Amino acid sequence: DALRSGCVCMSCLPTPMLSGSRCWMSGTFWSGVGSEGRSQFVPLAAHDDASNATSAQLWNRQLLEGPVAKSLRELIGYCMKLLSDQRSMLDMSRYVALFPTGSDHLQVLLAKATLDLDWLFEEILMPAGAMFRERELSSLVLAVLERVGSWKDTELQAFGAKLRGLRWLPTDAGVLRAVVDAFDPRQSPCAFSVVRKGRANIGESVEALQLDIDLVWRALRACGLKHELTWEDVVAEAELVVEDGDVERAGALLEHLNARHAGLQGDRAASTGRLLQLAWVPAICPAAKAAQPSEVLQLLPPGAAFAPSASKFVWAVAPA
């Protein structure tokens, strides 16, 4: 009789919901745990019933807080264990499809209620780093970032701080890096080897999982994806310049450092000390003819070169 009259008794809410899902419900939601520890009925307000706002608020509270969020966290944890079991039928693509994404307002609310970032990192991502193969780990974190991609920058920055030690982000060099050690391919100075090797490369994974790439990029940038060299990157690039004997790239690095040194992040004192030891500064040999500078360029330590104003033979030096 209850079913024929339109009342439905559910042991749990029908979450998570697939992207694009639609459902209509009317009647009463029976909460397993009420405000005083007892079962209670929460009537569902009609879509156009402004007078029943209290019922709608109670419904939303039950949906987004307490046992529902806790149950979904437990379900996510269980699915994570299945993912780590090669005998399981659950693969990463099916796992990503099961849980809320950032494309729908309701799903954003569900994700925010159930994906507490501290819990997510401690209980899901850290264990995944030890359990999963590289490709699976990358897919999982990308899916998480899409779900939280519409959150506030301050929340994402805090989450990025937790991700600093987790190497999961694919790069052009074919190795995984932490977000803070990788470069934004759209906004970084790509003339340098350290940037080209460290550019994030997520296109294939995002396409395979059908994620919203704009949300993923927004989350990555808020989590600390680099768009500029650090002092440590400058040292690494100078070492590569010396190794390659690349005078042209040395000139580009020197010009970049002259223009940007005041705003670079990292340990300036230790890095400049190392730069003084490396023969990476492009210069012109004093015995050469100025009319043919391309034939006499060489790399010298900064202390062995003169400022351009001191000699017409010198091409460039490091900043003071």
Side-chain angles (χ1 to χ4, degrees):
D1 292 341
L3 290 176
R4 285 195 294 271
S5 66
C7 297
V8 180
C9 180
M10 300 177 295
S11 60
C12 63
L13 287 175
T15 58
M17 301 177 68
L18 293 175
S19 179
S21 297
R22 295 292 184 268
C23 62
W24 291 264
M25 292 179 288
S26 62
T28 298
F29 167 61
W30 190 358
S31 171
V33 180
S35 59
E36 299 178 358
R38 301 191 302 270
S39 298
Q40 66 177 4
F41 288 96
V42 181
L44 294 178
H47 183 66
D48 55 353
D49 185 5
S51 64
N52 209 356
T54 301
S55 296
Q57 291 170 358
L58 287 172
W59 166 259
N60 289 336
R61 188 176 302 119
Q62 291 295 327
L63 180 65
L64 300 177
E65 299 176 4
V68 175
K70 181 176 182 294
S71 296
L72 189 51
R73 289 183 192 177
E74 292 177 353
L75 178 60
I76 293 173
Y78 175 72
C79 288
M80 287 291 298
K81 292 180 181 179
L82 290 180
L83 281 175
S84 64
D85 186 351
Q86 295 184 359
R87 299 169 297 177
S88 170
M89 297 295 291
L90 184 65
D91 59 21
M92 186 62 68
S93 297
R94 294 178 66 189
Y95 170 80
V96 170
L98 280 173
F99 294 98
T101 65
S103 59
D104 180 274
H105 179 64
L106 173 60
Q107 292 174 345
V108 171
L109 292 177
L110 289 172
K112 194 149 189 175
T114 57
L115 297 181
D116 174 82
L117 293 181
D118 290 336
W119 168 84
L120 184 65
F121 180 77
E122 298 294 338
E123 301 297 329
I124 301 298
L125 297 184
M126 282 298 290
M131 292 189 302
F132 289 171
R133 293 185 293 270
E134 290 184 353
R135 185 179 181 87
E136 292 173 334
L137 177 62
S138 298
S139 297
L140 175 64
V141 183
L142 287 172
V144 168
L145 290 180
E146 188 215 30
R147 291 174 200 154
V148 302
S150 59
W151 293 16
K152 296 179 181 178
D153 283 347
T154 52
E155 295 173 314
L156 293 175
Q157 289 164 3
F159 188 50
K162 292 182 174 295
L163 290 176
R164 292 182 69 91
L166 186 63
R167 296 173 180 265
W168 67 271
L169 184 59
T171 61
D172 283 351
V175 298
L176 300 183
R177 292 193 179 193
V179 176
V180 294
D181 295 328
F183 287 93
D184 187 334
R186 303 179 182 182
Q187 301 179 5
S188 302
C190 295
F192 306 118
S193 292
V194 291
V195 175
R196 292 195 295 269
K197 293 178 179 179
R199 287 181 298 199
N201 187 341
I202 63 172
E204 182 179 345
S205 297
V206 168
E207 183 178 355
L209 297 172
Q210 297 183 333
L211 303 177
D212 186 326
I213 195 168
D214 291 331
L215 282 177
V216 175
W217 280 123
R218 180 184 182 274
L220 283 172
R221 289 169 183 139
C223 285
L225 188 66
K226 292 192 290 188
H227 58 85
E228 177 59 276
L229 299 178
T230 63
W231 278 103
E232 289 75 16
D233 292 325
V234 172
V235 171
E237 182 68 18
E239 290 173 342
L240 290 173
V241 163
V242 174
E243 181 180 330
D244 299 338
D246 192 331
V247 175
E248 182 178 354
R249 206 165 79 241
L253 179 62
L254 185 60
E255 291 176 4
H256 189 85
L257 189 56
N258 273 325
R260 306 289 185 90
H261 65 92
L264 297 187
Q265 301 295 314
D267 190 336
R268 176 172 180 149
S271 298
T272 52
R274 176 57 178 157
L275 289 173
L276 289 172
Q277 299 171 357
L278 295 171
W280 68 277
V281 173
I284 297 174
C285 178
K289 295 181 179 179
Q292 297 177 327
S294 61
E295 298 178 2
V296 295
L297 290 178
Q298 59 179 298
L299 298 175
L300 298 175
F306 296 94
S309 59
S311 172
K312 65 179 181 180
F313 298 113
V314 178
W315 182 45
V317 294

